[in-house]
Amino acid sequence: MSWERWFLAGAALFNAAWAVGIAVAPERVFAVVPPLPGVLAMLVAAEGLCFAVCALRRIPWLLALSIAGKALGLPLFLGAVHLGYLSASSWGLTVVNDLLWIPPLLAVWRSRRRW
């Protein structure tokens, strides 16, 4: 199995763990619990499902959708802070959950003919 498939499988597991954490104990994940944490958990789980499918089958548009979701993380976080739904002290979540994933996901995208 190629490194791209291993990486996407790991991303799927990471998102699954975050989705469970958000759904079960949002107060332990966020400095201030956002409204509708269940909806947020479903979005994170859906992204994890996209990664899992991409790890099994090469579906470029699904990978592109997942990369777009990660890229939207920062603007959505800033909007949530501005509206008071999240504390600015939760910035580390955006860095870990979104920004750090973008470079390796783009590397997977570039090698999509191999993966």
Side-chain angles (χ1 to χ4, degrees):
M1 196 156 88
S2 67
W3 75 267
E4 294 92 345
R5 289 181 187 257
W6 281 107
F7 179 79
L8 291 169
L13 291 174
F14 180 84
N15 276 46
W18 271 107
V20 168
I22 293 169
V24 172
E27 69 281 353
R28 298 183 117 199
V29 175
F30 298 104
V32 175
V33 177
L36 304 172
V39 172
L40 183 59
M42 286 190 314
L43 291 171
V44 172
E47 190 171 52
L49 182 60
C50 289
F51 289 136
V53 169
C54 286
L56 298 172
R57 296 196 57 192
R58 189 171 53 88
I59 305 176
W61 67 266
L62 195 55
L63 181 60
L65 183 65
S66 300
I67 292 170
K70 291 293 186 190
L72 287 173
L74 180 60
L76 290 174
F77 170 76
L78 294 174
V81 169
H82 178 71
L83 294 172
Y85 293 134
L86 287 176
S87 167
S89 64
S90 299
W91 66 270
L93 291 174
T94 297
V95 170
V96 171
N97 288 319
D98 296 318
L99 300 180
L100 288 179
W101 286 94
I102 292 173
L105 285 170
L106 289 175
V108 171
W109 175 260
R110 278 192 304 260
S111 67
R112 69 186 178 275
R113 289 191 180 94
R114 262 189 319 136
W115 125 81

